[in-house]
């Protein structure tokens, strides 16, 4: 069932705008930090926030956005679900002020804010090559998502910058799920050439990579280097801690609200795509 939960407080100043936030709360590892930032920035701007859970599913996303529109929100912050862009197309066609958050699309007709992917992932590859790794595998994400394609491009760029040739046999799609990543890791480790290091394209897949390495008795850090993209509390508590690129969730939330309020105030301004730099968090999983 589609649920809308207003974030209303008594005795607040009059609301300037009502913002609908549509996202898969449970599917997003840093949704709590992102929502806190959105609510804080919205409060500063005198905006009311209406949260709608999409379950990270395209069908539920469409129902949620319809419900938000029926509730007369002035604008929408959308963390797009994987799949087609029908919901985004509809919002743009109807002229609804919209900002895509975190998962960006390959289009220039809507405001977007997220993290830079291509050069960031290339830096992970270069970090591994600095440790003398030459057989570096990639567990890539859901191929329908632009963010996944960007991270594959970053992987290839990193290899090129290190003077290494791209080998298709060292890339497997983990479908952006733990189970898919475990199967992808198994294929890579059973294949030829077998990688000495893995780049994991998102946080949910790091769980599957960890599981498969543990199942095989492979010691991450000493026998298999692992680096990833994402900011998870558990990644810093496990042994060894995981080397990752962390999304600046608070900055993304604040910038998203700024873009949306600017769009609502000036509907005719050119759309912006804002790419923020992720933070490098070093652990021992890379072997150093």
């Amino acid at each position: 069932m589609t649920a809308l939960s207003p974030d209303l407080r008594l005795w607040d100043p009059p609301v300037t705008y009502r913002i609908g936030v549509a996202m898969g709360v449970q599917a997003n590892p840093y949704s709590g930090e992102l929502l806190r930032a959105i609510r804080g920035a919205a409060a500063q701007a005198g905006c009311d926030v209406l949260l709608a859970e999409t379950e990270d599913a395209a069908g539920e996303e469409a129902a949620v956005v319809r419900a938000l529109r029926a509730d007369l929100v002035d604008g929408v912050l959308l963390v797009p679900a994987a799949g087609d862009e029908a919901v985004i197309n509809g919002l743009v066609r109807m002229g609804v002020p919209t900002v895509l958050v975190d998962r960006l699309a390959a289009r220039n007709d809507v405001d977007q804010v997220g993290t830079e992917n291509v050069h960031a992932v290339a830096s992970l590859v270069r970090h591994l090559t600095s440790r003398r790794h030459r057989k570096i595998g990639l567990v890539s994400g859901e191929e329908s998502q632009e963010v996944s394609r960007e991270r594959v491009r970053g992987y290839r760029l990193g290899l090129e910058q290190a003077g290494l040739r791209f080998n298709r046999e060292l890339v497997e799609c983990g479908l952006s799920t733990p189970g898919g990543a475990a199967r992808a890791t198994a294929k890579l480790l059973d294949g030829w050439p077998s990688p000495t290091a893995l780049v994991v394209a998102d946080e949910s897949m790091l769980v599957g990579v960890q599981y498969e390495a543990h199942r095989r008795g492979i010691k991450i850090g000493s026998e298999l280097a692992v680096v990833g993209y994402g900011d998870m509390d558990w990644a810093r508590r496990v042994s060894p801690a995981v080397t990752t690129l962390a999304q600046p969730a608070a900055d993304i939330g604040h910038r998203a609200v700024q873009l949306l309020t600017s769009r609502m105030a000036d509907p005719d301004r050119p759309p912006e795509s804002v790419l923020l730099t992720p933070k490098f968090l070093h652990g021992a999983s890379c072997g150093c």
Side-chain angles (χ1 to χ4, degrees):
M1 176 179 292
T2 300
L4 303 179
S5 56
D7 187 21
L8 295 173
R9 294 172 297 278
L10 294 176
W11 317 118
D12 275 355
V15 170
T16 305
Y17 295 113
R18 303 186 73 226
I19 296 174
V21 179
M23 63 184 295
V25 177
Q26 299 303 318
N28 190 326
Y30 55 95
S31 60
E33 184 179 1
L34 182 61
L35 282 171
R36 284 192 296 274
I38 288 172
R39 285 172 170 152
Q44 289 180 349
C47 298
D48 178 26
V49 173
L50 199 63
L51 173 63
E53 168 66 63
T54 67
E55 301 177 8
D56 206 31
E60 187 65 15
E61 178 182 86
V64 154
V65 170
R66 283 196 299 270
L68 288 172
R69 291 290 295 138
D71 209 51
L72 302 179
V73 296
D74 298 294
V76 174
L77 298 179
L78 173 65
V79 179
D84 63 42
E85 297 183 2
V87 171
I88 303 172
N89 292 337
L91 289 168
V92 171
R93 186 172 60 252
M94 291 184 292
V96 178
T98 301
V99 177
L100 305 185
V101 183
D102 185 36
R103 296 176 183 167
L104 308 190
R107 54 195 302 160
N108 59 7
D109 58 352
V110 63
D111 292 309
Q112 311 186 66
V113 59
T115 49
E116 198 282 326
N117 291 296
V118 178
H119 294 284
V121 172
S123 72
L124 285 178
V125 175
R126 291 197 308 273
H127 182 72
L128 292 172
T129 60
S130 72
R131 299 291 302 168
R132 302 185 185 278
H133 288 285
R134 294 296 178 265
K135 294 182 288 185
I136 302 171
L138 172 68
V139 180
S140 61
E142 173 58 56
E143 294 174 350
S144 65
Q145 295 181 6
E146 176 63 16
V147 64
S148 298
R149 295 191 288 269
E150 287 182 350
R151 291 175 187 177
V152 171
R153 291 199 291 273
Y155 166 77
R156 298 189 66 154
L157 175 62
L159 293 177
E160 180 182 334
Q161 291 172 336
L164 299 177
R165 295 181 61 183
F166 172 76
N167 185 342
R168 182 64 187 81
E169 299 303 315
L170 286 172
V171 178
E172 287 291 341
C173 180
L175 302 174
S176 297
T177 65
R183 292 188 292 273
T185 302
K187 289 181 181 179
L188 288 169
L189 295 176
D190 289 338
W192 183 261
S194 182
T196 62
L198 290 178
V199 177
V200 186
D202 73 37
E203 54 274 303
S204 63
M205 295 193 297
L206 275 166
V207 176
V209 173
Q210 291 266 349
Y211 169 83
E212 184 61 22
H214 179 74
R215 189 183 72 82
R216 292 171 178 249
I218 295 174
K219 296 179 180 178
I220 290 178
S222 57
E223 297 176 337
L224 178 68
V226 173
V227 298
Y229 203 118
D231 185 16
M232 314 74 61
D233 287 338
W234 67 261
R236 291 186 287 278
R237 293 196 300 265
V238 297
S239 182
V242 184
T243 295
T244 63
L245 292 172
Q247 292 98 327
D251 292 341
I252 290 173
H254 281 101
R255 194 71 180 94
V257 172
Q258 290 172 0
L259 283 174
L260 188 59
T261 54
S262 295
R263 171 63 56 198
M264 292 185 292
D266 182 7
D268 297 323
R269 69 168 180 79
E272 292 184 56
S273 290
V274 178
L275 299 179
L276 303 176
T277 303
K279 181 180 180 181
F280 182 80
L281 300 179
H282 185 263
S285 69
C286 55
C288 59

